[in-house]
């Protein structure tokens, strides 16, 4: 079995390469000769079903062995991850459409909870053509969608101003947080029991309370990136950023079934970080998620974004650097690094860029590293993240992050196991600015939903090294980033993907839900 890409190596180091869906090789030092070899038209020859594929693979393997390269055994596609397309339903033929910050307001991947499931029903939220908030539900597995319009319209054309949904198990309420980017929240919640007893209650806006600018009187100030996170014992947490890009903090609030309370900040915006002779003294932590594992541990992988753009090699890049990891065993009150050392407390001394032991994959600020990508926790309780950036083999300075990521961006699977952290490049070009989502099937295989609705996967049996394309997004006409329903996948093995179709200008377009059965 091939080894994984050593953490942090960008040029001159070892790298994982995959030839088609079935063969992986681990190269030694990456030089120009190997780069040319990897770009030769041998890769299509290794597609399953083509005559001579095995012979071609053996010839290639022999050549690589002579060059000092280790070659993995063929992976069996038949026994690995699989998916079946079982449905594609229309939510709205005329959803609001505008492009800002390279994305759409109805499916910003960082919102996480734009589509969720609870107690046999699925819920989705979006802005329709006249900017009104719409929330829909359906009985699973395939009931008709019911919609209602909430008394709020989108305040500005900003793709950050997404809608996030949450359910508080202790009282069965549906919570909606929306339309914020460095502004006060718009929030409302349903009557008790609407989520726990949906079959006996009509789906109307009268089931929801008035729109508020606080959490039931708890003033959060100006915030961004609202996320609802249910705890194992049935409370509902709310994560958000205060401040702005490059100068903000991550904070938590918590709902106990009757009352919201603010727990405080858990990341710091202070400290010094230097590169290219410049020093930045402010920053923001951008989390790839807050995810509870099977043992109740709360996991967070993240990047830092610096406030001083002079730390980048070019002003058109992204000032994000490094991937870090922290966890909490007391519902987000105390934070520890991967070695178990306490590095911060929520509402006390927060996690900072100078806290020791945080970085699990070092990367400087010159590679257009994306913030707020995605993470998941496997059945053994280990964290996995998808990160993406422009690898060093394409150059050491990304001058324009959008163009650079579209041309040369790659996604990487970064994960922890009992022996430490590992990293594998997913051998499918991003061809997009945006983010990807990682989920796990019941057997532990990893699936990544990439921009445009493409799905790639790797098997647990190979240590998640045999990445291959299972669905290329054909027929979706998806704009870019998509959302996934984590709760439904856990409940019945179906991956629901919310996507909006491409349009032009401000012309509304269809928003839909694709259903894929995994395994």
């Amino acid at each position: 079995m091939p080894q994984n890409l050593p953490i942090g190596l960008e040029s001159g180091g070892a790298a994982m390469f995959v030839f088609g869906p079935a063969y992986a090789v681990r190269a030694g030092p990456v030089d120009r000769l190997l780069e040319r070899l990897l770009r030769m038209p041998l890769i299509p020859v290794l597609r399953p079903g083509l005559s001579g594929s095995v012979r071609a693979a053996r010839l290639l393997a022999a050549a690589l062995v002579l060059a000092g390269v280790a070659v993995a055994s063929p992976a069996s596609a038949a026994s690995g991850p699989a998916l079946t397309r079982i449905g594609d339903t229309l939510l709205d033929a005329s959803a609001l459409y505008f492009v800002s910050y390279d994305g759409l307001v109805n499916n910003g991947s960082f919102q996480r909870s734009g589509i969720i499931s609870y107690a046999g029903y699925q819920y989705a939220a979006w802005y329709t053509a006249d900017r009104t908030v719409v929330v829909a539900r359906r009985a699973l597995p395939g009931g008709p969608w019911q919609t209602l319009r909430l008394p709020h319209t989108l305040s500005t054309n900003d793709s950050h101003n997404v809608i996030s949904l949450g359910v508080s198990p202790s009282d069965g309420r549906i919570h909606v947080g929306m339309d914020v980017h460095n502004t006060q929240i718009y929030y409302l919640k349903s009557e008790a029991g609407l989520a726990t007893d949906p079959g006996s209650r009509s789906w109307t806006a009268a089931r929801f309370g008035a729109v508020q600018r606080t959490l039931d009187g708890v003033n959060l100030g100006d915030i961004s990136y609202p996320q609802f996170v249910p705890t194992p014992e049935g409370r509902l947490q709310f994560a958000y950023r205060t401040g702005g890009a490059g100068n903000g903090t991550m904070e938590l609030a918590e709902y106990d079934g009757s009352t919201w309370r603010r727990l405080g900040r858990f990341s710091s915006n202070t400290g010094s970080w230097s590169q290219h002779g410049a020093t930045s003294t402010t920053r923001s932590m951008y989390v790839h998620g807050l995810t509870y594992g099977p043992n109740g541990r709360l996991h967070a992988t993240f990047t830092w974004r610096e406030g001083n753009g002079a730390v980048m090699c070019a002003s058109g890049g992204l000032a994000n650097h490094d991937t870090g990891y922290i966890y909490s065993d007391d519902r987000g009150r105390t934070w520890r690094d991967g070695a178990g050392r306490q590095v911060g407390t929520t509402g006390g001394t927060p996690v900072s860029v100078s806290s020791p032991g945080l970085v699990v994959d070092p990367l400087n600020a010159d590679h257009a590293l994306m913030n707020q990508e995605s993470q998941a926790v496997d059945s053994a309780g280990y964290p996995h993240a998808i990160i993406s950036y422009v690898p060093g083999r394409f150059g050491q300075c990304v001058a324009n992050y959008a163009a650079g990521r579209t041309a040369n961006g790659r996604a990487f699977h970064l994960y922890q196991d009992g022996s430490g952290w590992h990293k594998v490049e997913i051998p499918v070009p991003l061809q997009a600015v945006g983010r990807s989502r990682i989920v796990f099937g019941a057997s532990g295989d990893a699936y990544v939903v990439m921009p445009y609705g493409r799905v790639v996967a790797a098997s647990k049996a190979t240590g998640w090294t045999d990445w291959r394309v299972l669905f290329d997004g054909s027929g979706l006409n998806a704009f870019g980033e998509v959302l996934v329903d984590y709760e439904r996948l856990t409940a019945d093995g179906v991956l629901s993907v919310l996507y909006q179709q491409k349009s032009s200008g401000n012309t509304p377009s269809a928003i839909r839900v694709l259903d894929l059965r995994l395994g």
Side-chain angles (χ1 to χ4, degrees):
M1 182 181 300
Q3 300 299 307
N4 299 325
L5 180 64
I7 302 301
L9 280 179
E10 273 313 307
S11 61
M16 177 73 71
F17 299 98
V18 175
F19 292 81
Y23 291 86
V25 302
R26 180 181 184 269
V30 179
D31 54 26
R32 295 184 182 274
L33 177 61
L34 186 53
E35 283 287 332
R36 290 197 295 270
L37 176 61
L38 292 171
R39 293 172 181 171
M40 290 174 63
L42 283 171
I43 294 176
V45 176
L46 302 183
R47 291 174 182 163
L50 294 180
S51 60
S53 63
V54 173
R55 182 179 179 186
R58 288 174 178 171
L59 289 173
L60 178 60
L64 290 171
V65 168
L66 288 174
V69 177
V71 183
S73 300
S76 171
S79 61
L83 58 81
T84 303
R85 185 170 176 169
I86 61 174
D88 193 325
T89 54
L90 178 68
L91 287 173
D92 187 344
S94 298
L96 183 65
Y97 187 96
F98 60 85
V99 179
S100 89
Y101 295 93
D102 308 299
L104 303 182
V105 72
N106 283 328
N107 57 357
S109 177
F110 52 79
Q111 73 189 92
R112 187 192 182 280
S113 51
I115 180 169
I116 63 173
S117 290
Y118 191 84
Y121 273 68
Q122 188 171 57
Y123 303 87
W126 67 95
Y127 298 98
T128 193
D130 68 359
R131 310 177 73 84
T132 301
V133 174
V134 179
V135 184
R137 74 173 185 182
R138 65 172 172 175
L140 294 172
W145 287 101
Q146 302 171 295
T147 61
L148 61 81
R149 294 163 66 96
L150 294 177
H152 180 74
T153 57
L154 180 66
S155 61
T156 186
N157 280 6
D158 185 338
S159 63
H160 289 86
N161 292 38
V162 299
I163 306 168
S164 289
L165 302 174
V167 172
S168 48
S170 58
D171 62 0
R173 295 183 191 269
I174 299 170
H175 301 252
V176 185
M178 55 197 170
D179 196 8
V180 291
H181 186 203
N182 303 331
T183 54
Q184 279 194 284
I185 193 170
Y186 293 92
Y187 164 79
L188 74 169
K189 67 179 188 291
S190 76
E191 65 187 26
L194 185 59
T196 48
D197 188 22
S200 67
R201 307 196 188 205
S202 60
W203 188 243
T204 67
R207 302 282 185 186
F208 287 80
V211 176
Q212 309 174 45
R213 302 306 303 274
T214 65
L215 297 183
D216 291 340
V218 177
N219 189 350
L220 306 180
D222 292 345
I223 72 166
S224 303
Y225 309 119
Q227 280 188 48
F228 292 102
V229 184
T231 69
E233 70 277 3
R235 297 190 177 204
L236 184 65
Q237 294 182 323
F238 184 69
Y240 55 97
R241 187 196 73 190
T242 56
N247 190 10
T249 61
M250 286 298 301
E251 300 201 19
L252 283 174
E254 188 173 81
Y255 179 75
D256 63 5
S258 61
T259 305
W260 281 103
R261 68 186 183 103
R262 190 171 180 174
L263 301 181
R265 64 175 185 159
F266 64 89
S267 76
S268 172
N269 59 342
T270 62
S272 296
W273 190 83
S274 300
Q275 185 177 283
H276 299 304
T279 297
S280 178
T281 57
T282 65
R283 68 201 44 80
S284 295
M285 173 190 283
Y286 283 90
V287 296
H288 295 311
L290 290 166
T291 310
Y292 280 98
N295 62 353
R297 176 169 290 179
L298 180 59
H299 302 264
T301 54
F302 62 90
T303 64
W304 296 108
R305 175 176 293 180
E306 296 302 321
N308 182 2
V311 299
M312 296 185 290
C313 62
S315 60
L318 281 174
N320 300 330
H321 63 90
D322 299 324
T323 299
Y325 169 72
I326 52 177
Y327 72 86
S328 173
D329 285 332
D330 57 2
R331 304 298 187 260
R333 273 65 170 180
T334 305
W335 295 95
R336 301 182 181 277
D337 66 12
R341 295 168 296 200
Q342 182 174 317
V343 291
T345 56
T346 298
T349 302
V351 178
S352 76
V353 73
S354 58
S355 300
L358 301 185
V359 176
V360 297
D361 184 42
L363 185 69
N364 66 30
D366 296 336
H367 291 274
L369 175 67
M370 183 51 70
N371 50 282
Q372 296 163 297
E373 196 119 4
S374 68
Q375 67 173 34
V377 179
D378 65 28
S379 60
Y382 288 113
H384 297 241
I386 295 299
I387 63 173
S388 63
Y389 57 88
V390 177
R393 66 180 182 271
F394 297 110
Q396 298 298 327
C397 178
V398 177
N400 181 307
Y401 80 88
R405 287 179 59 83
T406 302
N408 296 312
R410 297 294 188 272
F412 295 81
H413 176 211
L414 180 66
Y415 68 96
Q416 184 189 47
D417 63 15
S419 64
W421 285 88
H422 312 275
K423 178 179 173 184
V424 176
E425 180 176 340
I426 297 174
V428 180
L430 285 180
Q431 299 175 331
V433 178
R435 306 164 176 88
S436 302
R437 314 299 299 166
I438 183 171
V439 299
F440 285 98
S443 61
D445 298 331
Y447 296 77
V448 174
V449 187
M450 300 182 72
Y452 315 120
R454 297 168 294 167
V455 182
V456 298
S459 62
K460 179 181 179 182
T462 66
W464 303 290
T465 58
D466 56 341
W467 290 97
R468 58 192 177 95
V469 177
L470 297 186
F471 177 55
D472 65 2
S474 296
L476 300 184
N477 192 32
F479 169 81
E481 292 183 353
V482 300
L483 304 180
V484 300
D485 184 344
Y486 294 93
E487 292 80 12
R488 184 181 185 187
L489 179 59
T490 300
D492 65 10
V494 173
L495 176 63
S496 289
V497 180
L498 185 150
Y499 68 96
Q500 187 164 354
Q501 293 185 325
K502 296 175 185 176
S503 185
S504 59
N506 293 331
T507 302
S509 68
I511 190 165
R512 306 181 65 92
V513 176
L514 171 70
D515 292 327
L516 304 167
R517 183 170 296 282
L518 303 188

